[in-house]
Amino acid sequence: MAAVITRREVAEETGLSGLELVPLLGARAHEVFEIANTTKRVGGAPHRMLRQLRQNLSLASVLRGELQEIWRADPPELVIADFTLPFAGNLAQALGAR
């Protein structure tokens, strides 16, 4: 299966690629945007930075679980992941993908 695995919010852009969309995070997808786009500046405020890190790690564990479920059912041969999902490469390698 050639697919783009991403948030449903980018379905329109994904459709332009001609590849199937496999959505992640379901009802929590909005949290990705909210973590990155805070109402107050995060830099220089260690407590805000820590909160943001914890939020990211919480979503990362959910994402990893979803990817693992998808890939166990249909193991990938090749995975292209950006720097925001460092665990995707490790998981892909563990399942035999390049």
Side-chain angles (χ1 to χ4, degrees):
M1 161 179 63
V4 175
I5 302 174
T6 189
R7 297 176 299 121
R8 185 170 302 283
E9 290 81 1
V10 296
E12 185 176 329
E13 293 86 351
T14 302
L16 298 175
S17 72
L19 298 172
E20 177 186 352
L21 169 69
V22 178
L24 292 174
L25 292 176
R28 292 187 67 183
H30 64 91
E31 292 179 40
V32 173
F33 184 82
E34 291 168 1
I35 291 169
N37 298 287
T38 60
T39 56
K40 294 181 180 177
R41 189 169 175 270
V42 173
H47 64 284
R48 289 187 190 134
M49 293 171 70
L50 180 58
R51 180 174 42 236
Q52 193 175 47
L53 175 63
R54 286 182 175 151
Q55 290 170 324
N56 272 307
L57 292 175
S58 171
L59 278 184
S61 66
V62 172
L63 282 168
R64 189 179 196 291
E66 288 185 24
L67 281 177
Q68 192 167 15
E69 187 176 317
I70 292 165
W71 289 347
R72 283 209 193 283
D74 189 8
E77 291 180 27
L78 173 70
V79 172
I80 301 170
D82 70 19
F83 71 96
T84 61
L85 293 175
F87 57 84
N90 293 346
L91 179 58
Q93 283 181 328
L95 296 173
R98 292 174 272 152

